């Protein structure tokens, strides 16, 4: 068995109000607009385009979501990031393009609560942050100051990255086939063969990353696993 289920499970903010209408993961927002035509008037899955949107996150997907929000008709789009511009993980050209399209960056702010009215988003309460000591990534960690501010808006897009869907690991465990994962839920593999802790089970791609998670490394993982599986079956 070769597991290559990816890591497409959106990471959410886990704050009050996150289930209100008008809150999207970046995955859903971009998929609906770019693949399902949700920004068009005759779409069978139309997008409710409001006036003000806020994208939480600072990576390339956050920039994509913010720029897409501008294109579908939002009058004002914010990118809200809990660190400073210096720590933004997005590529510099993505940041520059976002600024050129009129997107406003708000730094050192973290979501505390999404505010709603009649089941829809009407604003967000933000906690003012300051930078503390560096974390395991080498970036200085944001620390709450105890101060808050409120921002009026009608749409929230969460672009905090993705992680592995645990359904395969949990299903295997239910059958008495526990597979070793790291603390974030990614499957642990041998870097050369992509073998997992279970005999005859291999994994690759974003669900079992070795190094950076990108298409090239995923393809390499498939080739290494195929070679190891072929050698196993040839014995």
């Amino acid at each position: 068995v070769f597991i290559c289920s990816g890591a497409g499970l959106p990471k959410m903010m886990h704050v009050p109000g996150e289930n209100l209408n008008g809150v999207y993961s970046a995955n859903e927002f971009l998929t609906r607009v770019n693949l399902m035509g949700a920004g068009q008037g005759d779409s069978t899955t139309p997008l409710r385009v409001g006036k003000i949107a806020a994208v939480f996150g600072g990576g390339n997907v956050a920039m994509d979501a913010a720029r897409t929000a501008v294109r579908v008709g939002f009058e004002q789009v914010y990118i809200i990031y809990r660190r400073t511009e210096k720590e933004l993980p997005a590529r510099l050209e993505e940041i520059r393009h976002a600024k050129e399209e009129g997107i406003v960056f708000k730094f050192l702010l973290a979501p505390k609560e999404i505010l709603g009215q009649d089941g829809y988003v009407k604003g967000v309460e933000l906690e003012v942050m300051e930078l503390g000591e560096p974390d395991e990534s080498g970036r200085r960690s944001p620390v709450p100051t105890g101060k808050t501010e409120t921002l009026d808006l009608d749409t929230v897009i969460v672009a905090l990255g993705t992680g592995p869907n645990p359904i395969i690991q949990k299903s295997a465990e239910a059958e008495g086939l526990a597979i070793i994962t790291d603390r974030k839920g990614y499957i642990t593999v041998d870097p050369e063969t992509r073998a997992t802790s279970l005999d005859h089970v291999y994994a690759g791609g974003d669900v079992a990353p070795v190094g950076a998670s990108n298409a090239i490394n995923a393809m390499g993982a498939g080739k290494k696993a195929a070679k190891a599986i072929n050698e196993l079956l040839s014995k």
Side-chain angles (χ1 to χ4, degrees):
V1 174
F2 179 65
I3 301 172
C4 51
S5 53
L9 186 67
K11 295 178 181 177
M12 302 303 286
M13 299 184 294
H14 304 294
V15 298
E18 202 165 37
N19 290 325
L20 288 166
N21 292 307
V23 179
Y24 302 89
S25 72
N27 290 38
E28 178 190 359
F29 182 76
L30 291 170
T31 298
R32 289 181 64 182
V33 172
N34 294 326
L35 299 181
M36 303 173 70
Q40 302 169 11
D42 58 351
S43 171
T44 56
T45 58
L47 189 72
R48 181 176 177 268
V49 178
K51 293 184 177 182
I52 305 174
V55 179
F56 286 89
N60 293 321
V61 174
M63 305 301 147
D64 290 344
R67 295 171 66 193
T68 299
V70 170
R71 294 188 184 98
V72 298
F74 284 91
E75 297 175 9
Q76 179 66 68
V77 179
Y78 296 99
I79 285 180
I80 300 176
Y81 185 57
R82 61 182 185 158
R83 292 182 171 94
T84 69
E85 183 169 359
K86 181 181 178 181
E87 287 81 28
L88 279 172
R91 293 190 298 270
L92 292 177
E93 60 267 29
E94 290 274 5
I95 298 169
R96 176 171 59 83
H97 291 156
K99 289 180 177 179
E100 289 173 350
E101 294 189 42
I103 293 161
V104 176
F105 287 73
K106 296 177 74 68
F107 297 107
L108 291 174
L109 293 169
K112 186 174 183 180
E113 181 177 358
I114 300 172
L115 308 174
Q117 183 175 8
D118 299 326
Y120 288 85
V121 173
K122 73 167 187 176
V124 63
E125 184 180 2
L126 302 165
E127 189 154 30
V128 179
M129 313 297 281
E130 62 183 12
L131 294 183
E133 296 300 317
D135 61 14
E136 59 186 17
S137 70
R139 294 177 297 172
R140 294 175 64 189
S141 300
V143 179
T145 63
K147 301 177 182 178
T148 62
E149 61 179 68
T150 301
L151 183 66
D152 292 333
L153 47 82
D154 47 44
T155 302
V156 170
I157 303 169
V158 183
L160 301 181
T162 58
N165 191 316
I167 188 169
I168 290 178
Q169 296 91 309
K170 288 185 176 180
S171 298
E173 187 175 349
E175 296 295 327
L177 300 171
I179 190 168
I180 294 178
T181 60
D182 65 16
R183 62 184 181 84
K184 294 183 178 181
Y186 295 96
I187 297 174
T188 301
V189 296
D190 180 280
E192 292 304 316
T193 66
R194 295 314 197 262
T196 72
S197 59
L198 293 177
D199 288 340
H200 298 195
V201 178
Y202 299 77
D206 286 354
V207 74
V210 177
S213 292
N214 52 46
I216 296 298
N217 281 345
M219 292 167 65
K223 288 185 176 182
K224 286 185 176 181
K227 181 176 182 291
I229 292 170
N230 184 63
E231 290 176 354
L232 175 71
L233 297 178
S234 299
K235 292 180 180 179

